[in-house]
Amino acid sequence: MDHRTNPDISALVSADNRHHLHPFTDHASLREKEGGARVITEARGVHVWDASGRRLLDAMSGLWCVNIGYGRQELAEAARRQMEQLSYYNTFFKTTNEPATRLAERISDLLPDHLNQVFFVNSGSEANDTIVRMVRLYWQLEGRPERQVFISRHRAYHGSTMAAASLGGMSAMHAQGHLPLPGFEHVQEPDWFQHGGDMTPEEFGLRAANAIEERILEVGPENVAAIIGEPIQGAGGVIIPPETYWPRVQEIARKHDVLLIADEVITGLGRTGSMWGFETFGIEPDLVPMAKGLTSGYQPLGAVAVGERVAETLIAKGGEFAHGFTWSGHPVACAVALENLRILTEEGLVNRVREMEGVVREKIGALADHPLVGEFRIRGLIGALELVRDKGTRERFNDPGRVGTICRDHCIDVGLIMRACWDTMVFAPPFCITAEEVDEWAGLAREALDRTLKDVEGELA
Ligand code: PXG
């Protein structure tokens, strides 16, 4: 049954059409052509249900965030207990609450020694905006106020607020509202599949890293504040950089005395098979924004881990940092995060990510034999399938995003949620996924690919 035949649901959908502006949505198309939003009503484990009772396997963990899986009673209990005891108090004006302090300590314990100060925010965007203000203040306090420029990569995603969208390298976002702000530079992303040509991945990785140094030299090292990067670019299409990339970026940051920021909003807390993406790639960032997996999406929460170098200056010379949010260190969100991290560590879910990576590599990786699939790649439980016109040459279809959207819609029709980043189908399933569920996912994905192939067969090379 389609939900629009159910009177309660169709009333809800029409109210939604009248009043609700959604993120990253073309409302004219949603309301007029597609008839309104899909209503999700329940979720458990790796599955969500829509209002018509259809079950979908969520291979995206919501938006890369429901890492421990849906419906864990312990998190509901933790929220209820905390709401009953202390539903809210702020962390301004020399005040704290127990969950906020314990969580700052817990996050510090999970990080390497030099990262041991934590500032709480409510989202990844706020984490990155906080970092822009903090890093510029750091350089002011160091007597180097001209060090203001941030270097990032094309197709980076760091959030939607003004500074975070400027840090990001999404051209469609920059095209709206005169972004980026001054002081944000973008260089080529380390996407071998797209840009590598005849180079080996290792050669290309070095070249992409060197593009950062070239830009530092153009801007003048004395003007550069920091380099920011997601260890694996998520919304950009799960770009897993060649092994040569990050070590060279680290070298460049050190050589020019520039701070290094690893945006761990997606990759943090186990997603890549180590606790942090920067560990997977062997680098030592100065600042670490995190969000999503911190609560597995059960509450909105983000944090910035601040390394010794910046923290010591801010604390010793900074006086009052004039920055913060009403919900910074919200006791309910922090209590839920503590329970989420307990489950993550006590149930050994980061090891499980590594185990399940092998299963996904075998079962989903087998789709690489499909006529549309030009590449399968994975690191931990984050990966992608590239849809191409020509498997031999990696040539894509014309009108980027068209075939990805067709495939994404077929996925939904067969009962699977995978996201299309242009023509790259990406996935990041909950860590609790089982081998049987990976089998179910592989079957659904093949069916969606076959249906997509029927639609575009005439265009293949
Ligand atoms: N950094 C990274 C690496 C992200 O992936 C943010 C920062 C911003 O976080 P908030 O909590 O402000 O959304 C993100 C968010 C998508 C998609 O469609 C990805 C994100 C958010 C929404 C949609 O892939 N990533």
Side-chain angles (χ1 to χ4, degrees), residues 293-372:
L294 191 53
T295 60
S296 287
Y298 284 70
Q299 283 282 291
L301 183 67
V304 177
V306 185
E308 268 163 4
R309 175 175 175 181
V310 173
E312 276 170 12
T313 297
L314 289 182
I315 292 167
K317 306 192 206 161
E320 177 176 318
F321 180 34
H323 183 84
F325 306 95
T326 304
W327 309 139
S328 287
H330 194 292
V332 177
C334 292
V336 168
L338 281 166
E339 186 60 11
N340 173 60
L341 296 178
R342 186 192 66 72
I343 288 174
L344 185 80
T345 48
E346 283 184 14
E347 296 185 5
L349 291 180
V350 183
N351 286 337
R352 190 181 167 83
V353 167
R354 282 199 297 276
E355 278 167 42
M356 292 313 293
E357 172 182 354
V359 178
V360 175
R361 187 185 292 283
E362 185 195 328
K363 304 271 170 68
I364 305 297
L367 298 168
D369 70 357
H370 194 276
L372 283 180

Side-chain angles (χ1 to χ4, degrees), residues 29-282:
S29 165
L30 177 71
R31 293 172 181 188
E32 285 148 34
K33 280 199 230 136
E34 290 147 62
R38 182 179 310 112
V39 181
I40 300 296
T41 52
E42 284 180 56
R44 259 186 316 285
V46 302
H47 290 101
V48 303
W49 279 261
D50 72 13
S52 66
R54 281 191 69 224
R55 189 178 86 148
L56 298 139
L57 190 152
D58 182 8
M60 278 306 299
S61 304
L63 276 179
W64 329 78
C65 55
V66 188
N67 292 356
I68 66 166
Y70 294 97
R72 291 290 301 248
Q73 198 57 35
E74 303 93 316
L75 275 72
E77 282 301 315
R80 187 186 56 77
R81 271 199 310 273
Q82 187 56 45
M83 280 187 196
E84 284 173 357
Q85 186 180 335
L86 176 69
S87 53
Y88 171 73
Y89 201 77
N90 66 68
T91 55
F92 288 48
F93 317 131
K94 308 184 187 175
T95 306
T96 193
N97 61 71
E98 185 176 351
T101 301
R102 294 244 178 272
L103 182 60
E105 186 182 36
R106 185 81 189 97
I107 292 171
S108 303
D109 287 348
L110 294 174
L111 283 160
D113 288 348
H114 78 284
L115 288 155
N116 63 14
Q117 303 285 330
V118 177
F119 190 99
F120 287 115
V121 298
N122 310 288
S123 66
S125 299
E126 284 180 10
N128 283 319
D129 272 51
T130 296
I131 282 179
V132 170
R133 297 203 62 213
M134 207 180 250
V135 163
R136 286 186 172 168
L137 173 60
Y138 164 79
W139 285 115
Q140 276 176 287
L141 294 169
E142 289 291 296
R144 308 294 305 276
E146 65 288 354
R147 278 200 180 257
Q148 291 201 17
V149 176
F150 287 78
I151 311 247
S152 174
R153 292 90 53 78
H154 297 305
R155 281 157 69 203
Y157 190 76
H158 297 297
S160 278
T161 47
M162 293 292 276
S166 298
L167 282 172
M170 294 294 185
S171 51
M173 293 175 78
H174 291 171
Q176 299 176 342
H178 310 289
L179 293 178
L181 299 170
F184 296 88
E185 298 279 329
H186 303 86
V187 303
Q188 189 179 66
E189 68 280 27
D191 180 354
W192 174 83
F193 190 83
Q194 176 90 0
H195 303 298
D198 295 331
M199 277 179 267
T200 64
E202 291 70 29
E203 287 164 354
F204 173 74
L206 287 177
R207 211 192 77 171
N210 290 338
I212 293 179
E213 181 163 44
E214 284 154 25
R215 188 62 61 88
I216 290 174
L217 295 172
E218 270 169 50
V219 171
E222 68 285 3
N223 298 315
V224 178
I227 300 165
I228 184 166
E230 304 149 76
I232 293 174
Q233 283 176 245
V238 183
I239 301 168
I240 304 176
E243 294 300 320
T244 47
Y245 181 76
W246 276 116
R248 177 79 185 116
V249 174
Q250 174 92 70
E251 227 174 80
I252 292 165
R254 291 212 171 111
K255 177 168 159 200
H256 296 289
D257 196 26
V258 164
L259 297 172
L260 185 60
I261 304 159
D263 183 335
E264 296 275 354
V265 168
I266 288 178
T267 50
L269 298 156
R271 177 58 67 189
T272 67
S274 346
M275 190 54 79
W276 305 99
F278 64 75
E279 288 170 345
T280 296
F281 292 99

